[in-house]
């Protein structure tokens, strides 16, 4: 697959993204209908199935946001969906796509949070990793395209060695297993897959300076091509530890040279916040920050 990207200087270049063949797939890879794998979690009147259930519309208005969740939990694998975000003035809104173990104080969680913007400003995506109840690992990247004009794929790849967040097959974040350095890593608890659309104008846009403009409501976000490849829990007990699962293959132990190049490009040109370099919060960088990719 070839993906066209542009730098902060608007110079176009092309990165070839290598897609590796699957070694073992306990759950087949296919864009599913919403009801195959998901259910409405709250405010069902604000979620509408479209295109025969192959896509859904989420609505946010002054009365409520909404959310949906997977019917099962999964331990390792890859999850993805294509999302078209709120157009125009979306300041104060947050659309989230994340995995969560739903275990309260010891929860594991992997977050994509899309932070609304004022018209003409870039959309920011915030990622975070919680392991054994510990989070505070925020990173923010300004997207290099307008995510409200068309659908784009957002994916989380999770195996025993690393977690990678992808945008259109471009890795924007890598979180490695650093248990040897006494850094928690989510590898024991299965996680469900969730998405929500909600008001968060106390923090979402410019730290809460920009408030939501309800005169533009209702706000809509769209989702399609729901894809889950992983070990369902409950399910075959051998699956999570099976080294033949394709996501545990050697190709997924580290980024390929092409992926590493695109990862560095994102970090240099589009990263706007990294907890690892925030000395006001962490005078001594957390140990995982020196792990590299």
């Amino acid at each position: 697959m070839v993906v066209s990207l542009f730098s902060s200087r608007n110079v176009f270049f092309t990165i070839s993204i290598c897609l590796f063949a699957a070694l073992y797939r306990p759950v087949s890879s296919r864009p599913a209908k919403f009801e195959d794998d998901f259910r409405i979690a709250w405010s069902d009147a604000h979620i509408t199935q479209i295109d025969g259930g192959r896509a859904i519309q989420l609505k946010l208005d002054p009365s409520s946001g909404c959310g949906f969740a997977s019917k099962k939990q999964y331990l390792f694998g890859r999850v993805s969906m294509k999302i078209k975000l709120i157009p125009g003035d979306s300041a104060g809104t947050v659309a989230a796509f994340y995995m969560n173990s739903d275990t309260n104080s010891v929860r594991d969680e992997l977050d994509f949070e899309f932070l609304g913007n004022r018209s003409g400003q870039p959309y920011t995506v915030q990622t975070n990793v919680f392991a054994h109840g510990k989070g505070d690992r925020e990173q923010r990247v300004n997207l290099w395209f307008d995510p409200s004009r068309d659908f784009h794929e957002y994916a989380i790849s999770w195996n025993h060695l690393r977690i990678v967040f992808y945008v259109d097959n471009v890795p924007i974040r890598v979180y490695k297993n650093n248990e040897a350095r006494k850094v928690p890593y989510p590898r024991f608890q299965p996680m469900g897959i969730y998405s929500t659309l909600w008001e968060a104008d106390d923090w979402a846009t410019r730290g809460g300076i920009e408030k939501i403009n309800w005169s533009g409501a209702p706000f809509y976000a769209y989702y399609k091509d729901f894809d889950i490849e992983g070990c369902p829990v409950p399910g075959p007990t051998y699956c999570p530890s099976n080294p033949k699962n394709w996501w545990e293959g050697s190709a997924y132990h580290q980024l390929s040279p092409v992926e590493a190049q695109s990862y560095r490009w994102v970090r240099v040109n589009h990263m706007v916040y990294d907890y690892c370099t925030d000395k006001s919060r962490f005078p001594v960088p957390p140990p995982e920050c020196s792990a590299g990719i």
Side-chain angles (χ1 to χ4, degrees):
M1 178 180 292
V2 175
V3 179
S4 293
L5 305 174
F6 59 89
S7 72
S8 57
R9 297 180 181 180
N10 294 323
V11 178
F12 283 84
F13 65 96
T14 300
I15 296 176
S16 297
I17 304 296
C18 298
L19 301 180
F20 301 98
L23 300 176
Y24 173 74
R25 297 177 183 263
V27 178
S28 63
S29 171
R30 76 283 182 265
K33 289 187 176 181
F34 174 76
E35 289 186 339
D36 290 345
D37 296 313
F38 293 93
R39 59 179 176 81
I40 296 173
W42 58 287
S43 192
D44 56 354
H46 283 64
I47 297 181
T48 302
Q49 295 191 46
I50 55 180
D51 192 22
R54 286 182 288 272
I56 59 170
Q57 171 191 273
L58 272 62
K59 181 173 74 171
L60 169 65
D61 61 25
S63 69
S64 182
C66 56
F68 64 89
S70 60
K71 295 178 179 178
K72 297 180 180 179
Q73 291 185 313
Y74 299 85
L75 188 55
F76 304 116
R78 183 183 187 275
V79 299
S80 67
M81 57 185 69
K82 291 182 180 178
I83 306 173
K84 185 164 70 170
L85 295 171
I86 299 169
D89 185 354
S90 58
T93 68
V94 173
F97 160 41
Y98 60 102
M99 302 184 71
N100 189 306
S101 63
D102 197 23
T103 47
N104 298 321
S105 62
V106 292
R107 69 184 165 121
D108 293 335
E109 184 170 312
L110 310 175
D111 294 337
F112 273 113
E113 292 178 309
F114 304 94
L115 311 183
N117 64 328
R118 287 289 182 226
S119 298
Q121 298 175 348
Y123 243 105
T124 299
V125 57
Q126 174 172 284
T127 59
N128 203 353
V129 175
F130 287 78
H132 305 184
K134 175 67 172 65
D136 297 328
R137 299 184 176 97
E138 301 91 348
Q139 293 183 353
R140 293 185 178 184
V141 168
N142 283 342
L143 293 173
W144 52 95
F145 52 84
D146 182 349
S148 68
R149 292 178 63 88
D150 203 351
F151 286 93
H152 293 267
E153 184 186 75
Y154 305 92
I156 300 170
S157 175
W158 171 34
N159 63 28
H160 283 80
L161 298 179
R162 63 172 195 166
I163 297 157
V164 185
F165 294 79
Y166 289 93
V167 176
D168 287 339
N169 288 316
V170 176
I172 66 167
R173 179 170 189 173
V174 177
Y175 183 84
K176 298 178 73 172
N177 184 335
N178 280 288
E179 290 177 308
R181 301 185 183 193
K182 302 188 183 303
V183 177
Y185 186 82
R187 65 183 181 95
F188 299 107
Q189 301 185 104
M191 291 190 266
I193 302 150
Y194 301 84
S195 189
T196 55
L197 178 61
W198 49 292
E199 173 196 354
D201 68 1
D202 58 332
W203 67 272
T205 307
R206 296 182 61 204
I209 295 175
E210 304 283 358
K211 301 299 183 181
I212 195 166
N213 179 8
W214 287 115
S215 68
F219 302 102
Y220 297 102
Y222 298 86
Y223 295 71
K224 69 175 186 177
D225 290 359
F226 310 97
D227 193 8
I228 303 173
E229 303 175 72
C231 295
V233 178
T237 56
Y238 64 85
C239 183
S241 60
N242 189 345
K244 293 185 179 180
N245 291 327
W246 70 262
W247 53 83
E248 301 289 355
S250 60
Y252 303 95
H253 291 182
Q254 61 185 13
L255 297 184
S256 71
V258 170
E259 287 181 319
Q261 179 185 3
S262 60
Y263 172 85
R264 287 190 292 269
W265 175 82
V266 169
R267 310 283 286 190
V268 169
N269 293 287
H270 296 283
M271 173 161 278
V272 294
Y273 178 79
D274 184 358
Y275 77 104
C276 288
T277 59
D278 189 342
K279 293 185 178 180
S280 65
R281 293 177 63 195
F282 303 101
V284 177
E288 68 269 18
C289 294
S290 60
I293 59 172

